[in-house]
């Protein structure tokens, strides 16, 4: 996707990324973290504001900084970087609220043709994974780099 995105800083493992959202509410530090789950090769993508006291992700806060598309493009760039290193990884994502999951679905839908050039994309519906289709209210998503 050729969208504007923020410059990200990554740990050597490419499992944790940081950037700063710059918008109408100021500069807001953000974190993206890929954590392996109990399923080998299956990683959870966590994202949110960086809590400056704990250094952890706060995925409940609503920033409304006016740059959501740029933030989402930055998250996508981190998925590319992470899967460049972990090319067999499945990356799982869901919103911390139904509204955020819906936002993610709408953004995937908007760019699905481009995304499919590089990734297999699935949605979780009624406890089952299926090929991602537009206009279906999935509860989670998983992607893996095309082979």
């Amino acid at each position: 996707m050729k969208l504007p995105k923020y410059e990200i800083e990554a740990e050597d493992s490419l499992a944790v990324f940081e950037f700063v959202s710059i918008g109408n509410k100021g500069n807001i530090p953000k974190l993206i973290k890929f954590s392996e789950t109990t399923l080998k090769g299956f990683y959870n993508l966590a994202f949110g504001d960086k809590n400056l006291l704990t250094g952890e992700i706060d995925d409940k806060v609503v920033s409304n900084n006016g740059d959501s598309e740029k933030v989402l493009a930055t998250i996508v760039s981190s998925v590319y970087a992470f899967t460049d290193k972990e090319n067999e990884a499945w990356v799982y994502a869901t919103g911390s609220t139904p509204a955020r999951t819906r936002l993610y679905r709408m953004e995937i839908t908007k760019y699905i043709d481009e995304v499919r050039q590089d990734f297999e994309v699935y949605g979780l519906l009624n406890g089952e994974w299926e090929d991602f289709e537009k206009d279906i209210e999935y509860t989670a998503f998983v992607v893996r780099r095309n082979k």
Side-chain angles (χ1 to χ4, degrees):
M1 297 186 318
K2 293 176 177 50
L3 296 172
K5 56 189 164 279
Y6 290 108
E7 185 174 315
I8 54 178
E9 294 181 14
E11 291 184 346
D12 291 340
S13 67
L14 294 182
V16 178
F17 296 82
E18 293 191 46
F19 67 97
V20 177
S21 162
I22 303 168
N24 55 27
K25 294 196 176 173
N27 296 352
I28 302 173
K30 303 282 188 177
L31 280 175
I32 305 164
K33 185 175 183 180
F34 296 87
S35 303
E36 191 162 19
T37 68
T38 56
L39 298 173
K40 185 168 176 47
F42 204 84
Y43 293 81
N44 181 67
L45 185 160
F47 164 74
D49 287 8
K50 180 179 183 179
N51 181 311
L52 298 178
L53 296 176
T54 66
E56 295 298 315
I57 293 174
D58 181 348
D59 65 355
K60 302 289 190 229
V61 70
V62 177
S63 302
N64 283 336
N65 210 16
D67 61 347
S68 63
E69 192 151 288
K70 190 170 184 178
V71 167
L72 290 170
T74 304
I75 295 167
V76 169
S77 74
S78 76
V79 174
Y80 273 93
F82 180 74
T83 58
D84 279 346
K85 183 172 186 278
E86 300 286 342
N87 55 14
E88 296 291 322
W90 290 92
V91 177
Y92 170 89
T94 190
S96 58
T97 66
R100 286 189 178 167
T101 301
R102 182 175 180 273
L103 173 65
Y104 298 160
R105 179 182 55 82
M106 291 185 327
E107 289 299 310
I108 292 169
T109 296
K110 191 187 303 184
Y111 298 103
I112 191 63
D113 293 334
E114 290 176 69
V115 172
R116 283 196 172 129
Q117 291 175 20
D118 297 316
F119 292 94
E120 298 174 46
V121 185
Y122 300 92
L124 185 63
L125 182 66
N126 300 322
E128 299 287 329
W129 291 106
E130 60 179 51
D131 284 331
F132 183 91
E133 297 292 333
K134 296 178 180 181
D135 301 320
I136 295 180
E137 303 250 351
Y138 296 112
T139 56
F141 313 95
V142 69
V143 299
R144 181 171 69 168
R145 286 297 277 269
N146 290 333
K147 296 183 179 199

